[in-house]
Amino acid sequence: NGEISGSELDEESKLAIEEERKILLKDCYWNDAEMNVEEGASGYESVDIIRDMAKHLSRGHYIDILNGPSAKSLFDHDDVEMSSEYKLTVTQRIRHCVLKYCTSVSKCVEAELIGVAALNLFMQPNYTGPSLHHGGVSRPGKEEETYEELKTINPHPLFTTQLKVSGGVEVKEDTAKEGDEHHEPPIDVSFHNAVLAELSVDGEWPCPVSKYPYFLLLARSILSTITIPNRPSWTQNIVHESDSKISVRKSRDGNFFESPQATFVAHSQQLFCVSIWCGRAVVAHCRLIQSDEPSMTLWKEAKCIFDKCVSLYCENVEQTSSKEQKILASKVMLEYGLAEHHFDIGKKGKPYFVKALALSDLDVEVTGSEGRRTKYQEKATAQMLVKAKPTNENTSSSGEEASEEKETVRKQEVKFNEDTILLEKVNYVEDSDNIHYELTIHQQTVLLALCLDVKNDNPMDGLTGEQMGAYLERLLQQHDDWMVYATGLLERAWLQSEGNHTRERALLQLQALADQHTNRLTLTQSTFQAAIEDSAPPSERLRNIHYIVYPPRWGALSDLAERYARIGIVTSAAEIYEEIELWDEVVECYRRAGKDKKAEEVVRKRLCETETPRMWAALGDITGDISNYEKSLELSDGKFSSAYVALGEHYMDKGDLAKAVEYYKTAVQIKPLSPQVWFRLGALSMRLLDWGTALQAFTEVVQQEPEEGDAWGNVAAIHMHNRNPAEAYPALNESLKLNRLNWRVWVSKLYTCMDLEKYDEAVQACLTLIDFKSKRNASEEIPHIEEKVARALVGNALKLYGTASSSGDAATLDSAKRTLIRLRELLTKLQETMKEAWVHEICAHFNGCVGRIGQAVDDLMKEYRALTSYKGWESDSSMIKKICRVISQILESHLEGEDEDALKKFRFLIKGVISKINAAHFNPERLPKVHLKHLEEMLAEIETKLE
């Protein structure tokens, strides 16, 4: 099958993999000593190319790699004829290039390093900073060349036509702040939207204000092809996946998948680090998508990759003595847990955080100790304390002098002003509690993960904040890494933004951290030294970004704006929301500021500068004009599902249900994991009597949201309409598990159980409905139990009892007896809540059949009284007939008995009935002579018996 074992690798391949491990296991960061190591020629051209690429990675020269000879050679393998024949997407074209280019292990490593460089080039401007441009801080005489270099690779010339590069037409320039001599280069709108369309997943659109998304597209396409060559990309929705087969949902544009050659698979599987870097790219892709729920399509891919990482790096690691192998396994577990956190899966990474802690040689204790938090506090009070100490013996306290590099990291912190009464850190009474042992950077990231777990696992109240604060105070005792320290400052600022004495410092801290994404001169970054010289280089910032939860640029600004809005600074919040194009929040902030028309003006102004699908949809929400949604679909190449949903809502409100269904169908085809849209589609299809579509829609809902009780009820209703009670029954049970108070579902279950001859459960449904009827408001119009249902229950229950009695099966007989007991309870409740004559008739029949003759006579008398209570019964032949039947049944019981007094009383009852009938008919010709004759005959029988 083309597999190659490690022992069969040639010397060139072994050297290539060794170079891969050197740079990628170090997260593309070499210290000065590693950077200055001089290596001679390896004797292999490809290995020397890999070494050169590794040096560029370690120095943060990612553009040089993407513009280098390896990248150019990679894209020379694009087959234009094949692309035009199959109309491949850019993702598929990059995959084709990788499959053709990687003819050896060393070529696979080159492609991998290109993918990693692209990922880092995306992460730098969007997560860590600094900006790729020196806008606002360029020194005189030092011209910026980055933009010219970027233009040659954003995108690569091969994809300019397909990605709609406009070449200067329809471009938008970022608004420069007044006084800025330089600012961000123009954004090509059509190109930007084309890339976002390629990165859209399940109909959800990526963040429109992200920088250079093309590099993420490049990284995802390359790394996924090498890591999981036999798995379709995110553009195809996987329905079912097993070891031998993958089923995908049919796409609107058809499904195309280029299978890899066996030799490619064999070579690519030799790479040691590609799996973990591919997993990082998937997580970055997930965080780029703006949706209420994380993409399950991406999660399936991420889980597949991280499971592969666990099997590759973590198997039997507990038994190994290698410290490096344990730390690597700990990092993998940490990243797997963070992936679960980002995708909101299960316990959000908790099990993996625990495993990462166990493998990190770190001992963590959460305890309490007395200490002082303010400058003028005399009496020490209880404070929460986190003690963290490496388990190995070579530990030292943090009292050593800080290096220059550490001091640079520490400059990110915003201190309390002199007037603040709070201390920068708690001063504990016990000296030992003020001593903190040095932790490695990895151990610090584990501490951050444990702090995150506290946040995920508990309600956000005061106690949770105290515990998180204790973790963060311990973490901030050290400042070894730029991004780890920044994350600690950010988390602390989030917590302190609610405090009266800490809010001001917290907001300044959030602003300072948000400013780090740009080199622009700002309030907290007001000099060239602060913006450039006092910040860490890109490679240093990026080395630990995947082990922490640090927000992207738009996330940091959103958090800052949210806190501004919370304290009433709504106009500033609106301006920040406007910058990151969160239009719903912009509208809300301007509304709170009393500027209702300002939101529409802002959106229209931005549309004049740059167009995005989300922005046109936002204008449609504000104005109600459906042409805006159509423009949104045009821009997104029909991939923006929210616009289809909005159009569906529009036509549903207008009453055009058929057209609404068409738009909803398209929306769920683009984004299948949309239970709310599926539900609307199912409800409208039921109203249009399209039962097949309705069943498919509600089935999708219950598969995606098993706890959606109303959807289960609708599935059952459709099966009942299709006369399929066996399928309706389990759906009804699921619905009632989730919502036992829905009387409509109980009615459905009653009739389904009658069809399936489940009489015990039918009786239970009747009892529940009677209980609802007595306790609920009359406006709910809960129906009474129908006569035909009660008659069928009594008749079939008695029949089952008779069959069980004759069969001699004790278990069946016991079951039948229990059914009769429940049925008697039901009939008693019916008599208490309903006064109709048929209720007493059924009760009399039931009691007579089970041998309760006295009770049967009482029931017949109740039926007689109910019948004679109807106005005008004396002249209604049908009522007279029923009364004669009841009198006959009562007489039969009396004649069999020996109670003479009862018989005499009954004689008077019959005479009274006869006299009332005669009195009601003035014309003797209209008398019901047959019924009167019957009554007189019964009277004669009584006289004979008495004699």
Side-chain angles (χ1 to χ4, degrees):
N1 59 6
E3 290 186 1
I4 304 173
S5 67
S7 59
E8 296 175 354
L9 289 174
D10 56 31
E11 187 64 24
E12 181 182 4
S13 299
K14 290 179 180 178
L15 287 173
I17 294 173
E18 182 182 346
E19 295 299 327
E20 176 213 18
R21 293 169 65 117
K22 280 183 184 178
I23 183 64
L24 296 187
L25 285 184
K26 291 275 190 177
D27 298 308
C28 302
Y29 178 79
W30 286 343
N31 56 35
D32 293 338
E34 293 169 320
M35 191 84 71
N36 295 325
V37 172
E38 294 291 337
E39 294 181 289
S42 64
Y44 299 98
E45 181 182 1
S46 61
V47 176
D48 292 337
I49 291 174
I50 292 171
R51 286 178 178 175
D52 187 53
M53 294 173 72
K55 289 180 179 178
H56 282 307
L57 275 176
S58 67
R59 293 168 180 156
H61 299 167
Y62 312 122
I63 296 176
D64 293 340
I65 295 176
L66 297 183
N67 207 17
S70 295
K72 292 177 181 177
S73 177
L74 170 66
F75 294 121
D76 283 343
H77 286 74
D78 182 63
D79 189 332
V80 178
E81 292 183 4
M82 179 179 177
S83 301
S84 59
E85 178 183 354
Y86 289 98
K87 297 181 180 178
L88 300 184
T89 64
V90 172
T91 304
Q92 291 167 333
R93 290 177 66 185
I94 295 173
R95 174 185 173 86
H96 176 70
C97 291
V98 173
L99 293 177
K100 295 297 182 183
Y101 180 73
C102 296
T103 55
S104 65
V105 173
S106 58
K107 291 293 184 184
C108 288
V109 174
E110 287 181 39
E112 177 189 13
L113 297 184
I114 293 171
V116 171
L119 178 61
N120 281 353
L121 199 53
F122 170 78
M123 298 296 288
Q124 179 185 330
N126 288 291
Y127 281 84
T128 66
S131 169
L132 296 179
H133 308 278
H134 301 157
V137 294
S138 292
R139 285 176 172 171
K142 184 177 180 182
E143 299 298 327
E144 180 183 4
E145 299 176 355
T146 311
Y147 177 49
E148 294 301 322
E149 296 174 356
L150 273 173
K151 282 201 299 186
T152 62
I153 59 170
N154 185 39
H156 287 86
L158 179 67
F159 308 118
T160 53
T161 302
Q162 188 168 354
L163 289 177
K164 304 177 183 178
V165 175
S166 62
V169 180
E170 192 194 358
V171 296
K172 169 247 180 179
E173 292 192 5
D174 277 5
T175 304
K177 291 192 175 182
E178 186 176 353
D180 278 357
E181 193 173 303
H182 303 276
H183 51 84
E184 294 283 335
I187 294 174
D188 187 330
V189 176
S190 60
F191 163 59
H192 191 72
N193 286 332
V195 174
L196 295 181
E198 289 272 348
L199 287 168
S200 64
V201 185
D202 299 334
E204 292 291 354
W205 199 252
C207 176
V209 296
S210 57
K211 303 288 186 182
Y212 310 106
Y214 168 73
F215 296 128
L216 179 62
L217 175 65
L218 186 61
R220 289 282 284 116
S221 304
I222 294 175
L223 296 174
S224 293
T225 302
I226 300 174
T227 307
I228 39 177
N230 290 310
R231 196 177 195 279
S233 71
W234 67 91
T235 58
Q236 302 188 44
N237 187 266
I238 295 178
V239 179
H240 175 73
E241 185 174 1
S242 64
D243 293 335
S244 59
K245 183 179 179 181
I246 295 177
S247 302
V248 298
R249 193 185 300 271
K250 186 177 180 181
S251 169
R252 289 189 308 157
D253 303 324
N255 301 82
F256 174 79
F257 179 72
E258 183 179 1
S259 299
Q261 298 292 329
T263 53
F264 173 84
V265 176
H267 291 141
S268 64
Q269 298 311 301
Q270 299 304 314
L271 272 59
F272 189 75
C273 306
V274 69
S275 298
I276 194 65
W277 280 95
C278 183
R280 292 168 176 176
V282 177
V283 171
H285 194 172
C286 166
R287 300 182 72 183
L288 179 67
I289 302 297
Q290 286 189 327
S291 64
D292 295 333
E293 299 290 336
S295 167
M296 288 299 100
T297 297
L298 291 180
W299 167 245
K300 291 174 185 176
E301 183 179 357
K303 186 176 187 307
C304 171
I305 294 168
F306 279 108
D307 284 341
K308 184 176 180 180
C309 291
V310 170
S311 64
L312 182 63
Y313 306 120
C314 306
E315 282 190 354
N316 303 318
V317 72
E318 294 84 0
Q319 286 77 37
T320 185
S321 58
S322 170
K323 181 178 178 181
E324 290 76 12
Q325 191 172 344
K326 282 187 176 182
I327 295 301
L328 176 59
S330 178
K331 289 181 177 180
V332 170
M333 290 297 180
L334 180 60
E335 289 199 57
Y336 203 162
L338 293 178
E340 283 201 347
H341 165 77
H342 289 304
F343 282 98
D344 197 15
I345 298 296
K347 295 185 177 180
K348 297 185 179 180
K350 184 182 185 72
Y352 294 101
F353 295 155
V354 173
K355 293 176 182 177
L357 174 63
L359 294 168
S360 64
D361 291 333
L362 180 64
D363 183 24
V364 178
E365 178 187 3
V366 181
T367 183
S369 180
E370 288 189 339
R372 296 176 178 85
R373 192 181 289 270
T374 66
K375 297 176 181 177
Y376 313 111
Q377 185 176 347
E378 295 182 359
K379 183 180 179 181
T381 56
Q383 309 289 338
M384 192 168 284
L385 172 66
V386 170
K387 293 183 177 181
K389 180 180 178 181
T391 55
N392 56 47
E393 296 180 358
N394 296 324
T395 60
S396 61
S397 69
S398 59
E400 300 173 358
E401 292 186 5
S403 66
E404 182 179 347
E405 179 183 347
K406 291 184 178 182
E407 284 303 313
T408 299
V409 171
R410 193 170 189 175
K411 288 179 181 179
Q412 297 179 91
E413 183 180 15
V414 176
K415 302 285 187 179
F416 282 127
N417 60 44
E418 295 180 357
D419 298 331
T420 305
I421 63 171
L422 294 175
L423 296 171
E424 287 292 342
K425 59 183 180 180
V426 177
N427 184 14
Y428 295 100
V429 174
E430 294 290 335
D431 291 338
S432 59
D433 293 333
N434 294 310
I435 297 175
H436 303 284
Y437 292 91
E438 288 288 333
L439 305 180
T440 65
I441 294 176
H442 171 63
Q443 289 169 340
Q444 294 173 45
T445 61
V446 172
L447 265 186
L448 275 174
L450 297 178
C451 179
L452 177 67
D453 180 58
V454 172
K455 181 179 179 181
N456 290 340
D457 215 26
N458 298 281
M460 199 59 208
D461 53 21
L463 182 59
T464 302
E466 285 291 330
Q467 191 171 350
M468 291 179 65
Y471 274 103
L472 295 172
E473 184 166 339
R474 173 61 188 89
L475 176 81
L476 294 173
Q477 297 294 334
Q478 292 179 235
H479 28 88
D480 305 317
D481 179 82
W482 182 272
M483 292 310 299
V484 173
Y485 193 66
T487 305
L489 293 174
L490 181 68
E491 292 278 357
R492 187 181 69 178
W494 285 342
L495 292 177
Q496 293 184 347
S497 63
E498 303 297 329
N500 292 329
H501 297 291
T502 56
R503 182 181 294 123
E504 181 181 355
R505 194 267 288 268
L507 292 177
L508 284 173
Q509 184 70 75
L510 289 172
Q511 185 69 64
L513 293 171
D515 290 344
Q516 287 182 175
H517 290 93
T518 176
N519 296 331
R520 183 178 291 164
L521 299 180
T522 64
L523 175 66
T524 61
Q525 194 170 263
S526 57
T527 65
F528 180 86
Q529 183 177 2
I532 300 296
E533 295 181 353
D534 288 347
S535 64
S539 58
E540 183 179 330
R541 296 191 190 195
L542 285 165
R543 62 172 170 170
N544 291 301
I545 187 63
H546 304 290
Y547 305 123
I548 55 179
V549 179
Y550 195 80
R553 181 180 60 89
W554 56 90
L557 290 173
S558 175
D559 287 328
L560 179 61
E562 180 185 347
R563 281 156 178 81
Y564 277 154
R566 197 177 295 171
I567 62 176
I569 311 177
V570 288
T571 303
S572 296
E575 292 172 355
I576 296 175
Y577 281 133
E578 181 184 343
E579 181 182 348
I580 55 179
E581 298 184 9
L582 292 180
W583 301 112
D584 291 342
E585 288 78 2
V586 170
V587 172
E588 176 62 21
C589 286
Y590 280 127
R591 187 193 63 79
R592 287 176 58 188
K595 302 176 181 178
D596 295 337
K597 294 184 179 180
K598 179 68 175 177
E600 183 178 349
E601 294 176 8
V602 167
V603 175
R604 291 190 181 279
K605 180 181 177 183
R606 290 300 297 267
L607 282 170
C608 292
E609 299 172 356
T610 180
E611 296 179 328
T612 67
R614 194 179 301 278
M615 203 181 305
W616 276 110
L619 184 60
D621 293 339
I622 295 171
T623 63
D625 185 353
I626 63 171
S627 63
N628 295 318
Y629 299 123
E630 293 166 353
K631 182 66 176 177
S632 173
L633 293 174
E634 180 185 338
L635 269 179
S636 66
D637 196 20
K639 294 181 179 180
F640 191 52
S641 66
S642 297
Y644 285 111
V645 174
L647 287 168
E649 290 178 357
H650 171 78
Y651 285 106
M652 181 176 67
D653 293 339
K654 287 182 63 177
D656 191 347
L657 303 187
K659 202 159 187 178
V661 164
E662 291 179 13
Y663 282 112
Y664 283 138
K665 282 183 177 179
T666 308
V668 295
Q669 192 173 14
I670 296 171
K671 185 185 178 186
L673 298 178
S674 305
Q676 293 180 343
V677 183
W678 278 112
F679 194 101
R680 293 179 199 169
L681 175 60
L684 293 182
S685 298
M686 289 180 73
R687 291 174 64 180
L688 293 172
L689 305 183
D690 184 356
W691 302 104
T693 301
L695 181 59
Q696 178 193 359
F698 286 119
T699 301
E700 288 282 354
V701 175
V702 298
Q703 287 176 349
Q704 297 175 24
E705 297 286 349
E707 296 185 357
E708 182 56 67
D710 289 340
W712 282 111
N714 288 332
V715 169
I718 296 167
H719 283 307
M720 290 174 66
H721 176 272
N722 295 337
R723 301 186 184 280
N724 191 359
E727 295 292 335
Y729 177 75
L732 287 166
N733 284 337
E734 289 296 328
S735 180
L736 289 173
K737 282 180 187 176
L738 301 165
N739 186 6
R740 297 192 68 81
L741 302 180
N742 189 332
W743 64 264
R744 291 180 176 83
V745 182
W746 280 106
V747 171
S748 298
K749 183 173 183 181
L750 168 59
Y751 290 105
T752 300
C753 290
M754 294 296 295
D755 290 340
L756 297 175
E757 299 182 358
K758 296 180 180 290
Y759 300 117
D760 264 357
E761 295 186 51
V763 170
Q764 179 197 15
C766 288
L767 290 170
T768 304
L769 287 170
I770 292 172
D771 187 52
F772 285 167
K773 184 76 175 175
S774 65
K775 295 179 180 179
R776 300 284 185 86
N777 195 302
S779 61
E780 293 193 45
E781 299 181 352
I782 301 175
H784 286 290
I785 305 301
E786 290 189 280
E787 179 181 352
K788 63 182 181 180
V789 172
R791 291 187 184 279
L793 281 173
V794 171
N796 287 294
L798 292 171
K799 181 180 178 181
L800 287 175
Y801 177 73
T803 304
S805 299
S806 59
S807 69
D809 186 346
T812 305
L813 184 59
D814 287 342
S815 175
K817 286 180 178 178
R818 286 194 297 271
T819 301
L820 292 179
I821 292 171
R822 295 190 185 99
L823 186 57
R824 186 171 68 187
E825 179 188 356
L826 170 62
L827 294 174
T828 301
K829 283 205 169 189
L830 283 175
Q831 284 186 310
E832 293 172 354
T833 57
M834 300 175 66
K835 302 304 179 184
E836 280 78 0
W838 63 263
V839 175
H840 306 299
E841 177 190 351
I842 294 173
C843 291
H845 173 68
F846 174 79
N847 285 318
C849 290
V850 298
R852 302 174 74 227
I853 304 302
Q855 184 62 47
V857 173
D858 290 342
D859 291 332
L860 288 170
M861 287 301 300
K862 291 176 182 177
E863 183 185 2
Y864 165 76
R865 287 191 286 271
L867 290 170
T868 56
S869 67
Y870 285 100
K871 185 178 181 180
W873 67 269
E874 303 91 339
S875 56
D876 188 337
S877 59
S878 62
M879 294 296 293
I880 294 173
K881 181 180 180 181
K882 291 179 180 179
I883 290 171
C884 289
R885 174 187 54 76
V886 173
I887 291 174
S888 174
Q889 290 175 312
I890 297 173
L891 177 59
E892 184 179 349
S893 176
H894 283 314
L895 291 175
E896 292 176 358
E898 300 297 331
D899 190 345
E900 185 175 336
D901 292 337
L903 199 57
K904 288 179 180 179
K905 291 178 181 178
F906 195 64
R907 179 178 60 182
F908 288 114
L909 183 146
I910 296 176
K911 287 181 179 180
V913 171
I914 293 173
S915 64
K916 287 179 181 179
I917 293 173
N918 285 323
H921 292 79
F922 299 103
N923 186 354
E925 298 296 328
R926 293 179 177 272
L927 284 170
K929 296 177 182 179
V930 175
H931 298 311
L932 285 173
K933 182 181 179 182
H934 187 199
L935 289 170
E936 289 170 354
E937 288 174 353
M938 288 188 283
L939 196 59
E941 282 188 69
I942 293 175
E943 296 292 349
T944 303
K945 178 69 173 179
L946 290 174
E947 291 175 358

